[in-house]
Amino acid sequence: MNQRSEDQQLAIDNLRRFLDQKIEPEFKAHGSGPVPRELMKDWTTQLAQFGLINAPHPAEYGGLGLGWQTHLMLYEEVVYTSSDIALPIVINTCAADLIMNLAPVALRERYLPGLLDGSVFASIAISEPAVGSDVAAVQTRARRDGDHWVITGEKTWITNGRYSDFLICTCRTDEGLTHILLDREEHPYEVRDVHKIALNGQSTTQIFLDDVRVPVENTIGRIGEGLRQTLTVFERARCHVGMTGVGLARRALDESIRYAQERSQHGKQIAAHQLIAEKIATMATGIDAARLLAMRAASMIDMGLRCDTECAMAKWYGTEMAVKVTRDAVQIHGGNGVTTEFPVERLAREALIFPIPDGTTEIQKLMIARALTGIPAFR
Ligand SMILES: Cc1cc2nc3c(=O)[nH]c(=O)nc-3n(C[C@H](O)[C@H](O)[C@H](O)COP(=O)(O)OP(=O)(O)OC[C@H]3O[C@@H](n4cnc5c(N)ncnc54)[C@H](O)[C@@H]3O)c2cc1C
């Protein structure tokens, strides 16, 4: 367990009670289909009152100024209940950070309050059908026409797309990659849901942009600096995704412990069989190690330090750990593990997704090795 202050523990305990008593029953009652925007908004606005989204951001911008470590502690609890509900929180938190640090005052004043209180949804669109790991190769084009950008292209895998009130779109301009904010009402873009093996409650989408005109004042940060700015977004996002692995795996462990205590074979509880006990010990140790990696990254962000390498370690280790832990959880449940009567099959399907977004495991490892050797495997 990390060192938590009394205040942090109190905040976590309050949130845990709320998630168990209010959100989990509502999430179960909803089932596995797409969560309508209003219901998701209802959940995110209530969770914002417990500090989600606004905890890490400075008070001068309407945040709580509690730091990224506290935020990640709270975030782990939401994942424990539902990754579908957690993912919009990741995107809103990272979008708020980008807007706060780099957007013109008018955009900050317009979008930050709603982002922080959970009533407005952002999307961050980098990936395209032909552009995944190689983010520098973005093709979506923003051409200058007087005091407007004219944007054409296709984005894919965009989290929150169906819910989004606005999109922070990475575009190629003559000067290089640039972040441009598209308001969904004023600069409409077409959104189509992508169906996946899990996490179909929240929204992952394709986004189509066909000569969308956006005022140049909607540029976030400096024209041509989009790639550098994206690396900062990835830092924040990657420690979240690592922590997503922790929340998922912790739930799988708790379910497994309960099952191993209740289920008996060969005349004793299966927890008493040494091969099951070994699994449980390995699961618990992996979860704690992953949490420590994520919290180290968050503490560096809190100190204002650059931590691409530490975030890369937290991301790949946390998400791959969750794949192994949830797979073991299914195994511990035997036949019951592959039925929808028990949550571990859902957790195992969800865990398979997270080694992919925000840079695959392979890309994280290449980045770590590049930092250590000074020799890049890619540009
Ligand atoms: C659920 C989900 C949510 C997402 N949300 C968003 C979002 O909100 N916004 C957004 O912009 N994107 C989002 N993404 C996209 C995600 O970031 C990309 O899927 C990811 O970066 C990988 O890109 P790709 O899928 O095109 O795979 P590819 O880049 O085509 O990679 C395919 C395989 O090749 C490997 N590979 C690629 N290059 C190398 C290399 N140089 N060396 C070794 N191996 C390599 C990869 O590791 C992978 O195993 C999301 C994806 C998912 C699944």
Side-chain angles (χ1 to χ4, degrees):
M1 192 46 62
N2 337 292
Q3 301 81 4
R4 293 170 172 173
S5 69
E6 245 178 73
D7 285 348
Q8 285 170 332
Q9 193 58 54
L10 197 64
I12 290 164
D13 291 345
N14 281 338
L15 174 62
R16 189 67 263 143
R17 259 193 307 278
F18 176 73
L19 286 161
D20 288 345
Q21 290 168 11
K22 175 91 177 17
I23 303 287
E24 175 121 9
E26 288 184 10
F27 180 68
K28 277 192 180 141
H30 167 74
S32 59
V35 176
R37 186 181 188 286
E38 280 312 300
L39 181 56
M40 190 62 90
K41 188 171 109 180
D42 187 37
W43 289 335
T44 49
T45 48
Q46 292 186 67
L47 289 170
Q49 290 169 27
F50 287 83
L52 272 308
I53 309 172
N54 51 22
H57 305 300
E60 59 187 297
Y61 293 119
L64 297 177
L66 297 175
W68 290 83
Q69 293 181 79
T70 305
H71 171 70
L72 280 195
M73 289 174 191
L74 296 169
Y75 175 74
E76 177 187 337
E77 300 303 320
V78 181
V79 179
Y80 186 92
T81 297
S82 160
S83 301
D84 277 303
I85 301 176
L87 290 192
I89 289 170
V90 179
I91 304 296
N92 272 19
T93 307
C94 295
D97 188 65
L98 189 63
I99 289 176
M100 214 169 276
N101 289 316
L102 294 171
V105 176
L107 295 184
R108 273 194 248 154
E109 287 178 349
R110 181 165 174 190
Y111 294 104
L112 274 180
L115 267 184
L116 295 183
D117 72 19
S119 62
V120 159
F121 291 98
S123 277
I124 301 177
I126 304 160
S127 307
E128 301 177 359
V131 180
S133 301
D134 188 4
V135 291
V138 161
Q139 293 170 3
T140 293
R141 180 81 187 139
R143 151 176 81 75
R144 191 70 178 260
D145 182 18
D147 54 4
H148 280 73
W149 296 110
V150 182
I151 305 174
T152 300
E154 184 181 334
K155 296 289 182 182
T156 193
W157 308 117
I158 306 309
T159 303
N160 271 2
R162 181 161 43 84
Y163 304 136
S164 65
D165 296 282
F166 69 89
L167 178 70
I168 299 174
C169 188
T170 306
C171 301
R172 180 163 299 283
T173 62
D174 288 345
E175 297 83 358
L177 298 188
T178 302
H179 283 131
I180 301 171
L181 186 150
L182 286 75
D183 184 276
R184 194 159 176 190
E185 274 187 9
E186 292 170 9
H187 325 112
Y189 45 87
E190 191 193 332
V191 170
R192 223 178 276 162
D193 264 323
V194 178
H195 191 79
K196 310 175 296 297
I197 55 168
L199 292 170
N200 291 304
Q202 57 87 49
S203 166
T204 309
T205 56
Q206 295 173 289
I207 291 190
F208 302 92
L209 303 152
D210 184 12
D211 276 353
V212 185
R213 287 181 71 79
V214 185
V216 170
E217 300 90 77
N218 279 27
T219 308
I220 296 184
R222 296 175 51 174
I223 297 173
E225 292 286 310
L227 186 57
R228 196 180 51 81
Q229 294 171 196
T230 295
L231 297 181
T232 309
V233 177
F234 275 147
E235 247 187 17
R236 277 38 173 179
R238 283 171 183 161
C239 60
H240 275 99
V241 185
M243 199 53 123
T244 309
V246 173
L248 270 177
R250 191 183 115 208
R251 180 63 182 262
L253 174 64
D254 285 354
E255 299 292 336
S256 301
I257 291 171
R258 193 169 21 248
Y259 193 83
Q261 288 168 336
E262 285 168 5
R263 175 80 176 168
S264 290
Q265 287 295 294
H266 300 280
K268 55 186 182 183
Q269 293 154 295
I270 61 168
H273 295 302
Q274 290 182 1
L275 293 181
I276 298 293
E278 185 275 341
K279 280 194 203 336
I280 286 178
T282 306
M283 290 157 88
T285 308
I287 293 166
D288 276 7
R291 185 185 295 106
L292 288 168
L293 283 174
M295 295 308 286
R296 175 181 67 167
S299 73
M300 290 178 75
I301 298 175
D302 282 337
M303 286 188 278
L305 300 173
R306 195 74 211 213
C307 52
D308 308 76
T309 304
E310 290 76 7
C311 288
M313 289 177 177
K315 200 268 170 182
W316 90 251
Y317 187 82
T319 57
E320 296 289 353
M321 173 281 295
V323 172
K324 291 199 190 86
V325 165
T326 54
R327 191 248 179 273
D328 278 346
V330 170
Q331 194 68 11
I332 288 172
H333 282 69
N336 282 330
V338 293
T339 69
T340 51
E341 296 299 304
F342 291 80
V344 289
E345 65 81 30
R346 169 178 66 79
L347 296 169
R349 284 185 289 110
E350 290 180 358
L352 276 179
I353 290 180
F354 290 104
I356 297 168
D358 294 300
T360 61
T361 300
E362 291 77 10
I363 295 300
Q364 308 304 326
K365 288 181 178 174
L366 292 178
M367 286 175 46
I368 296 163
R370 180 179 61 187
L372 293 171
T373 64
I375 300 171
F378 45 74
R379 66 182 178 279

